[in-house]
Amino acid sequence: SKAGPHLNLGRMFVERKRYQAAAEAFQEALRIDPKNVDAAILAGDAWRLFGSSINAKRFYRKALELDPDEPRALAGVGIVLIN
């Protein structure tokens, strides 16, 4: 998909602990492919690692809108709510 390069870029940023840049890359992937659950979850994860629970929750909720039973999104929301 056209979102693939942005997902790869985001993963590279995560490996380098550049979480805000990663989140932005994952958001761009989601903009290109609005039904991409992985992009939404990865954006949520990156924002959580960056320390922005508000943004993290927003993207985990987006993932749950796309797939209400998605375990990674449910876990992400739980982690953000606990912290």
Side-chain angles (χ1 to χ4, degrees), residues 1-9 25-26 28-33 36 39:
S1 92
K2 290 184 179 176
H6 296 282
L7 293 173
N8 292 336
L9 183 63
F26 295 136
E28 183 60 16
L30 190 59
R31 189 190 67 73
I32 291 167
D33 181 2
N36 191 317

Side-chain angles (χ1 to χ4, degrees), residues 12-80:
M12 183 198 71
F13 282 134
V14 168
E15 286 171 14
R16 289 168 172 73
K17 297 188 176 11
R18 293 184 54 199
Y19 301 122
Q20 184 174 8
E24 290 167 358
F26 295 136
Q27 284 177 230
E28 183 60 16
L30 190 59
R31 189 190 67 73
I32 291 167
D33 181 2
K35 297 205 183 308
N36 191 317
V37 178
D38 285 332
I41 292 167
L42 291 167
D45 290 345
W47 280 122
R48 180 175 50 80
L49 291 166
F50 180 71
S52 175
S53 1
I54 290 170
N55 283 326
K57 270 190 278 195
R58 193 169 113 225
F59 286 97
Y60 290 138
R61 287 193 177 121
K62 172 67 177 165
L64 290 171
E65 285 172 24
L66 296 169
D67 181 357
D69 299 319
E70 170 49 63
R72 295 169 299 164
L74 291 166
V77 168
I79 291 166
V80 169

